[in-house]
Structures are given as structure tokens and as C-alpha cells.
Amino acid sequence: MTTRFKKNRGLRGHVSAGRGRIGKHRKHPGGCGNAGGQHHHRINFDKYHPGYFGKVGMRNFHLIKHGKVCPIINVERLWSLVSEQTRKYYADKTDKAPVIDVMKAGYMKVCGKGQLPEQPVIVKARYFTKEAEEKIKAAGGVCVLCA
């Protein structure tokens, strides 16, 4: 807003500029910012910001940020971890089976969604669901647990 439209232009010559003689317009009479939340502004804080002060829950001193992370891969996507060339190579070999290490690909758990080609495969993972284990064994494969 330009200066000529400001309220103060009309108040030129009036001593207190509309702030009153008695109370006086002082800098921060109630304190700056959130000052007095537990003292003189308590009613406002309790009314409009319940739960602002205090703590909740228990502290975890040695918090491991990724402690519960467990990336999963489904049975239907297992073969995408090895090349199509590898799958074809082992397709006609009955004495050998490819080893798919899902840990190397960044997964920990093998879940049982989808179908698996009828081709034996050795799967290494940290966790297997019951369905995944059944499907891998039904295809003639093996589940190997690794830490």
C-alpha cells in the first residue's frame, strides 16, 4: 500500500496515534512469540492447543532406524532377477538348477503371490512365507535360509 493511503496519514498531529493515552503502545507487553504459554497465556494454550506441552510414550535410547525394514519379492517375480538367457540354459538341464540370491538384489522375504514356471530353482533368502515355500518346492526347487 502506498504511503498516502496509510492510516497514519490521517492521524498526523494526534499524540497517541489511536493507541490511547493510558495503556501506551509498548513493544511486546505480553512477551514475544509463544512466551507465557504455561503462565499468563495458559488459558489460550489450554483452550486452542491442548497437548502442546509435555511428553508421550517411551524413549528408545538405541533406536535403529531401519530395524524393521523387510523388502519383499513375490514368487512371480523371482525369475526377473536372473536373465532370460539363464532360464533357458537351465530349462533342459535336469542335474543343475540356477541359484537366485534375493538378498543380493536387495530383498529379504519371498512371498507366495503368482505362479512359478515348472523349473527347479534354488532360492536364497532370509524369510519365506509358507505359500512361497510350497510353490518353490512344487516346482522342484529348494529354499535356502541365509542370514
Side-chain angles (χ1 to χ4, degrees), residues 54-101:
K55 298 176 181 179
V56 68
M58 290 181 293
R59 294 185 62 193
N60 186 349
F61 294 115
H62 184 60
L63 180 67
I64 297 160
K65 286 280 172 72
H66 301 300
K68 295 186 173 77
V69 171
C70 184
I72 65 158
I73 186 167
N74 282 306
V75 158
E76 63 187 2
R77 287 196 48 226
L78 275 179
W79 280 103
S80 69
L81 300 180
V82 291
S83 61
E84 186 65 26
Q85 192 177 339
T86 312
R87 196 177 75 77
K88 287 187 177 135
Y89 174 78
Y90 286 103
D92 47 354
K93 296 223 186 318
T94 50
D95 56 334
K96 277 200 256 177
V99 177
I100 299 176
D101 192 350

Coordinates of all heavy atoms in Angstrom, one line a residue, residues 54-101:
G54 N 4.4 -31.1 27.3 CA 4.6 -32.5 27.9 C 5.1 -33.5 26.8 O 5.4 -33.2 25.7
K55 N 5.2 -34.7 27.3 CA 5.8 -35.8 26.5 C 4.7 -36.9 26.4 O 3.8 -36.9 27.2 CB 7.0 -36.3 27.1 CG 8.1 -35.3 27.3 CD 9.3 -35.9 28.0 CE 10.4 -34.8 28.1 NZ 11.6 -35.3 28.9
V56 N 5.0 -37.9 25.5 CA 4.1 -39.0 25.5 C 4.9 -40.2 25.0 O 5.9 -40.1 24.2 CB 2.9 -38.7 24.5 CG1 3.4 -38.6 23.1 CG2 1.9 -39.8 24.6
G57 N 4.6 -41.4 25.6 CA 5.3 -42.6 25.2 C 6.6 -42.8 25.9 O 7.0 -42.2 26.9
M58 N 7.4 -43.8 25.4 CA 8.6 -44.2 26.0 C 9.8 -43.8 25.1 O 9.6 -43.8 23.8 CB 8.7 -45.7 26.2 CG 7.7 -46.2 27.2 SD 7.8 -48.0 27.5 CE 7.2 -48.6 25.9
R59 N 10.9 -43.6 25.6 CA 12.1 -43.3 24.9 C 12.8 -44.5 24.4 O 12.9 -45.5 25.2 CB 13.0 -42.4 25.7 CG 12.5 -41.0 26.0 CD 13.5 -40.2 26.7 NE 14.6 -40.0 25.8 CZ 15.8 -39.4 26.2 NH1 15.9 -39.1 27.5 NH2 16.8 -39.3 25.4
N60 N 13.3 -44.5 23.2 CA 14.1 -45.7 22.7 C 15.5 -45.2 22.6 O 15.8 -44.4 21.6 CB 13.5 -46.1 21.4 CG 14.2 -47.4 20.9 OD1 15.2 -47.8 21.5 ND2 13.6 -48.0 19.9
F61 N 16.4 -45.5 23.5 CA 17.7 -45.0 23.5 C 18.6 -45.4 22.3 O 19.2 -44.5 21.7 CB 18.4 -45.3 24.8 CG 17.8 -44.7 26.0 CD1 17.2 -45.5 27.0 CD2 17.7 -43.4 26.2 CE1 16.5 -45.0 28.1 CE2 17.1 -42.8 27.3 CZ 16.5 -43.6 28.3
H62 N 18.6 -46.7 22.0 CA 19.4 -47.1 20.9 C 18.5 -47.4 19.7 O 18.2 -48.6 19.4 CB 20.2 -48.3 21.3 CG 21.1 -48.8 20.2 ND1 22.1 -48.0 19.7 CD2 21.2 -50.0 19.5 CE1 22.8 -48.7 18.8 NE2 22.2 -49.9 18.6
L63 N 17.9 -46.3 19.1 CA 17.0 -46.5 18.1 C 17.7 -46.9 16.8 O 18.6 -46.2 16.3 CB 16.2 -45.2 17.9 CG 15.1 -45.2 16.8 CD1 14.0 -46.2 17.1 CD2 14.6 -43.9 16.5
I64 N 17.3 -48.0 16.2 CA 17.8 -48.4 14.9 C 16.7 -48.1 13.9 O 15.7 -48.6 13.9 CB 18.2 -49.9 14.9 CG1 19.3 -50.2 15.9 CG2 18.6 -50.4 13.5 CD1 19.4 -51.6 16.4
K65 N 17.1 -47.1 13.0 CA 16.1 -46.5 12.1 C 15.4 -47.6 11.2 O 14.3 -47.6 10.9 CB 16.7 -45.4 11.3 CG 17.0 -44.1 12.0 CD 15.7 -43.3 12.2 CE 15.9 -42.1 13.1 NZ 16.7 -41.0 12.6
H66 N 16.3 -48.4 10.6 CA 15.8 -49.4 9.7 C 15.7 -50.8 10.3 O 15.9 -51.8 9.6 CB 16.6 -49.4 8.4 CG 16.7 -48.1 7.7 ND1 15.6 -47.4 7.3 CD2 17.8 -47.2 7.5 CE1 16.0 -46.2 6.8 NE2 17.3 -46.1 6.9
G67 N 15.4 -50.9 11.5 CA 15.4 -52.1 12.2 C 14.3 -53.1 11.8 O 14.4 -54.3 11.8
K68 N 13.2 -52.5 11.3 CA 12.0 -53.4 11.0 C 11.8 -53.4 9.5 O 10.7 -53.9 9.0 CB 10.8 -52.9 11.7 CG 10.9 -53.0 13.2 CD 9.6 -52.6 13.9 CE 9.6 -52.9 15.4 NZ 10.4 -51.9 16.1
V69 N 12.7 -52.9 8.7 CA 12.5 -52.9 7.2 C 12.7 -54.4 6.7 O 13.7 -55.0 7.0 CB 13.5 -52.0 6.6 CG1 13.5 -52.1 5.1 CG2 13.2 -50.6 7.0
C70 N 11.8 -54.8 5.9 CA 11.9 -56.2 5.3 C 11.4 -56.1 3.9 O 10.2 -56.4 3.7 CB 11.2 -57.2 6.2 SG 11.4 -58.8 5.6
P71 N 12.2 -55.7 2.9 CA 11.7 -55.7 1.5 C 11.3 -57.1 1.0 O 12.0 -58.0 1.3 CB 12.9 -55.2 0.7 CG 13.9 -54.7 1.7 CD 13.6 -55.4 2.9
I72 N 10.1 -57.1 0.3 CA 9.6 -58.5 -0.1 C 9.7 -58.5 -1.7 O 9.6 -57.5 -2.4 CB 8.2 -58.7 0.4 CG1 7.2 -57.7 -0.2 CG2 8.1 -58.7 1.9 CD1 5.8 -58.2 -0.2
I73 N 9.7 -59.8 -2.1 CA 9.5 -60.1 -3.5 C 8.6 -61.3 -3.7 O 8.7 -62.2 -2.8 CB 10.9 -60.3 -4.2 CG1 10.7 -60.5 -5.7 CG2 11.6 -61.5 -3.7 CD1 12.0 -60.4 -6.5
N74 N 7.7 -61.2 -4.7 CA 6.8 -62.3 -4.8 C 7.4 -63.4 -5.7 O 8.3 -63.1 -6.5 CB 5.5 -61.8 -5.4 CG 4.6 -61.2 -4.3 OD1 4.4 -61.8 -3.3 ND2 4.2 -60.0 -4.6
V75 N 6.9 -64.6 -5.6 CA 7.3 -65.8 -6.3 C 7.3 -65.5 -7.9 O 8.2 -65.9 -8.6 CB 6.5 -67.0 -6.0 CG1 6.5 -68.1 -7.0 CG2 6.9 -67.6 -4.6
E76 N 6.2 -64.8 -8.3 CA 6.0 -64.5 -9.7 C 7.2 -63.6 -10.3 O 7.4 -63.7 -11.5 CB 4.7 -63.8 -10.0 CG 4.5 -62.5 -9.3 CD 3.1 -61.9 -9.4 OE1 2.3 -62.6 -10.0 OE2 3.0 -60.8 -8.9
R77 N 7.9 -62.9 -9.4 CA 9.0 -62.0 -9.9 C 10.4 -62.6 -9.7 O 11.3 -61.9 -10.0 CB 8.8 -60.6 -9.3 CG 7.7 -59.8 -9.8 CD 7.8 -58.4 -9.4 NE 9.1 -57.8 -9.7 CZ 9.7 -57.1 -8.9 NH1 9.3 -56.8 -7.7 NH2 10.9 -56.6 -9.2
L78 N 10.4 -63.8 -9.2 CA 11.8 -64.4 -8.9 C 12.6 -64.5 -10.1 O 13.8 -64.1 -10.1 CB 11.6 -65.7 -8.2 CG 11.4 -65.8 -6.7 CD1 11.2 -67.2 -6.3 CD2 12.5 -65.1 -6.0
W79 N 12.0 -64.9 -11.2 CA 12.8 -65.1 -12.4 C 13.3 -63.8 -13.0 O 14.2 -63.8 -13.9 CB 12.1 -66.0 -13.4 CG 12.1 -67.4 -13.0 CD1 11.1 -68.2 -12.4 CD2 13.2 -68.3 -13.2 NE1 11.6 -69.5 -12.2 CE2 12.8 -69.6 -12.7 CE3 14.5 -68.2 -13.8 CZ2 13.7 -70.7 -12.7 CZ3 15.3 -69.3 -13.8 CH2 14.9 -70.5 -13.3
S80 N 12.7 -62.7 -12.7 CA 13.2 -61.4 -13.2 C 14.5 -61.0 -12.7 O 15.1 -60.1 -13.2 CB 12.1 -60.3 -13.0 OG 12.1 -60.0 -11.6
L81 N 14.9 -61.7 -11.6 CA 16.2 -61.4 -11.0 C 17.4 -62.0 -11.8 O 18.5 -61.5 -11.6 CB 16.3 -61.8 -9.5 CG 15.2 -61.2 -8.6 CD1 15.4 -61.7 -7.2 CD2 15.3 -59.7 -8.6
V82 N 17.1 -63.0 -12.6 CA 18.2 -63.6 -13.4 C 17.8 -63.4 -14.9 O 16.6 -63.1 -15.2 CB 18.4 -65.1 -13.1 CG1 19.0 -65.3 -11.8 CG2 17.1 -65.9 -13.3
S83 N 18.7 -63.5 -15.8 CA 18.4 -63.2 -17.2 C 17.6 -64.3 -17.8 O 17.6 -65.4 -17.3 CB 19.7 -63.0 -17.9 OG 20.5 -64.1 -17.9
E84 N 16.9 -63.9 -18.9 CA 16.1 -64.9 -19.6 C 17.0 -66.0 -20.2 O 16.7 -67.2 -20.3 CB 15.4 -64.2 -20.8 CG 14.4 -65.0 -21.6 CD 13.2 -65.5 -20.7 OE1 12.9 -64.8 -19.7 OE2 12.7 -66.5 -21.1
Q85 N 18.2 -65.6 -20.5 CA 19.3 -66.5 -21.1 C 19.6 -67.6 -20.1 O 19.6 -68.8 -20.4 CB 20.5 -65.6 -21.3 CG 21.6 -66.3 -22.1 CD 22.7 -65.3 -22.3 OE1 22.5 -64.1 -22.2 NE2 23.9 -65.8 -22.6
T86 N 19.7 -67.2 -18.8 CA 20.0 -68.2 -17.7 C 18.8 -69.2 -17.6 O 19.1 -70.4 -17.4 CB 20.2 -67.4 -16.4 OG1 21.1 -66.4 -16.6 CG2 20.7 -68.4 -15.3
R87 N 17.6 -68.7 -17.7 CA 16.4 -69.5 -17.5 C 16.4 -70.6 -18.6 O 16.2 -71.8 -18.4 CB 15.2 -68.7 -17.5 CG 14.0 -69.4 -17.0 CD 12.7 -68.6 -17.0 NE 12.2 -68.3 -18.3 CZ 11.4 -69.2 -18.9 NH1 11.2 -70.4 -18.4 NH2 11.0 -69.0 -20.1
K88 N 16.7 -70.1 -19.8 CA 16.7 -71.1 -21.0 C 17.8 -72.1 -20.9 O 17.6 -73.3 -21.2 CB 16.8 -70.3 -22.3 CG 15.5 -69.5 -22.6 CD 15.5 -68.9 -24.0 CE 14.2 -68.2 -24.3 NZ 14.4 -66.9 -24.9
Y89 N 18.9 -71.6 -20.3 CA 20.1 -72.5 -20.2 C 19.8 -73.7 -19.3 O 20.2 -74.8 -19.5 CB 21.3 -71.7 -19.7 CG 22.5 -72.5 -19.4 CD1 23.4 -73.0 -20.4 CD2 22.9 -72.9 -18.1 CE1 24.5 -73.8 -20.1 CE2 24.0 -73.6 -17.8 CZ 24.8 -74.1 -18.8 OH 25.9 -74.8 -18.5
Y90 N 19.1 -73.3 -18.2 CA 18.8 -74.4 -17.2 C 17.5 -75.1 -17.4 O 17.2 -76.1 -16.7 CB 18.7 -73.8 -15.8 CG 20.1 -73.4 -15.2 CD1 20.5 -72.1 -15.2 CD2 20.9 -74.4 -14.7 CE1 21.8 -71.7 -14.7 CE2 22.2 -74.0 -14.2 CZ 22.6 -72.7 -14.2 OH 23.8 -72.4 -13.6
A91 N 16.7 -74.7 -18.4 CA 15.4 -75.3 -18.7 C 15.5 -76.8 -19.0 O 14.7 -77.6 -18.6 CB 14.7 -74.5 -19.8
D92 N 16.5 -77.1 -19.9 CA 16.7 -78.5 -20.3 C 17.6 -79.3 -19.4 O 17.8 -80.6 -19.6 CB 17.0 -78.6 -21.8 CG 18.2 -77.7 -22.1 OD1 18.6 -76.9 -21.2 OD2 18.7 -77.7 -23.2
K93 N 18.3 -78.7 -18.5 CA 19.3 -79.4 -17.6 C 18.5 -79.9 -16.4 O 17.9 -79.1 -15.7 CB 20.4 -78.4 -17.2 CG 21.3 -77.9 -18.3 CD 22.7 -77.9 -17.9 CE 23.7 -77.3 -18.8 NZ 23.5 -77.6 -20.2
T94 N 18.6 -81.2 -16.2 CA 17.9 -81.8 -15.0 C 18.8 -81.9 -13.8 O 18.3 -81.9 -12.7 CB 17.3 -83.1 -15.4 OG1 18.3 -83.9 -15.9 CG2 16.1 -83.0 -16.4
D95 N 20.1 -82.0 -14.0 CA 21.0 -82.2 -12.9 C 21.4 -80.9 -12.2 O 21.9 -80.9 -11.1 CB 22.3 -82.9 -13.4 CG 23.0 -82.2 -14.5 OD1 22.3 -81.5 -15.2 OD2 24.2 -82.4 -14.7
K96 N 21.2 -79.7 -12.9 CA 21.6 -78.5 -12.3 C 20.4 -77.5 -12.2 O 19.4 -77.7 -12.9 CB 22.6 -77.8 -13.2 CG 24.0 -78.3 -12.9 CD 25.0 -77.3 -13.5 CE 25.6 -77.8 -14.8 NZ 26.6 -76.8 -15.3
A97 N 20.5 -76.6 -11.2 CA 19.4 -75.6 -11.1 C 20.1 -74.2 -10.8 O 21.1 -74.2 -10.1 CB 18.5 -75.9 -10.0
P98 N 19.5 -73.1 -11.3 CA 20.1 -71.8 -11.0 C 19.9 -71.4 -9.6 O 18.9 -71.8 -9.0 CB 19.4 -70.9 -12.0 CG 18.1 -71.6 -12.2 CD 18.3 -73.0 -12.1
V99 N 20.8 -70.6 -9.1 CA 20.7 -70.1 -7.7 C 20.3 -68.6 -7.8 O 21.0 -67.8 -8.4 CB 22.0 -70.2 -6.9 CG1 21.9 -69.6 -5.5 CG2 22.5 -71.6 -6.8
I100 N 19.1 -68.3 -7.2 CA 18.7 -66.9 -7.2 C 18.8 -66.4 -5.8 O 18.2 -66.9 -4.9 CB 17.2 -66.8 -7.6 CG1 17.0 -67.3 -9.1 CG2 16.7 -65.4 -7.5 CD1 15.6 -67.3 -9.6
D101 N 19.8 -65.5 -5.6 CA 20.0 -64.9 -4.3 C 19.3 -63.6 -4.2 O 19.7 -62.6 -4.7 CB 21.5 -64.7 -4.1 CG 21.9 -64.4 -2.6 OD1 20.9 -64.1 -1.8 OD2 23.1 -64.3 -2.3

